[in-house]
Amino acid sequence: AGLSIHAFIEGIPLFIDQGGSELLTGIILHNIPISITLMAFLLHSGRSVLSSFMALLLFALMTPTGAWLAYYLLP
């Protein structure tokens, strides 16, 4: 849950900093090792592969969701 909230909040500046390809690149590079670690922890905890991939998908969608909500909710 904490990583998902973190990823959601990371998406908000993507709307504010329009054209910020450096920020997008930084977020992508930042989330790659987090995703690998998250998947390893989920699989090691005994979750099924499908359940782990679903959790990873939810995590992956949080940053675009944060950017999307910022676009529609911020003036």
Side-chain angles (χ1 to χ4, degrees):
L3 283 175
S4 292
I5 293 168
H6 175 87
F8 179 82
I9 292 171
E10 279 181 337
I12 294 171
L14 288 176
F15 164 71
I16 295 168
D17 184 27
Q18 295 174 351
S21 63
E22 297 87 8
L23 179 61
L24 178 61
T25 303
I27 290 173
I28 290 169
L29 292 176
H30 171 72
N31 281 339
I32 289 172
I34 292 173
S35 299
I36 293 168
T37 305
L38 177 62
M39 192 65 170
F41 279 136
L42 290 171
L43 291 173
H44 185 71
S45 72
R47 286 181 157 221
S48 70
V49 174
L50 180 61
S51 173
S52 297
F53 272 113
M54 294 303 288
L56 188 65
L57 177 64
L58 177 67
F59 171 71
L61 291 174
M62 293 309 289
T63 299
T65 302
W68 181 78
L69 281 177
Y71 177 79
Y72 285 104
L73 295 180
L74 296 177

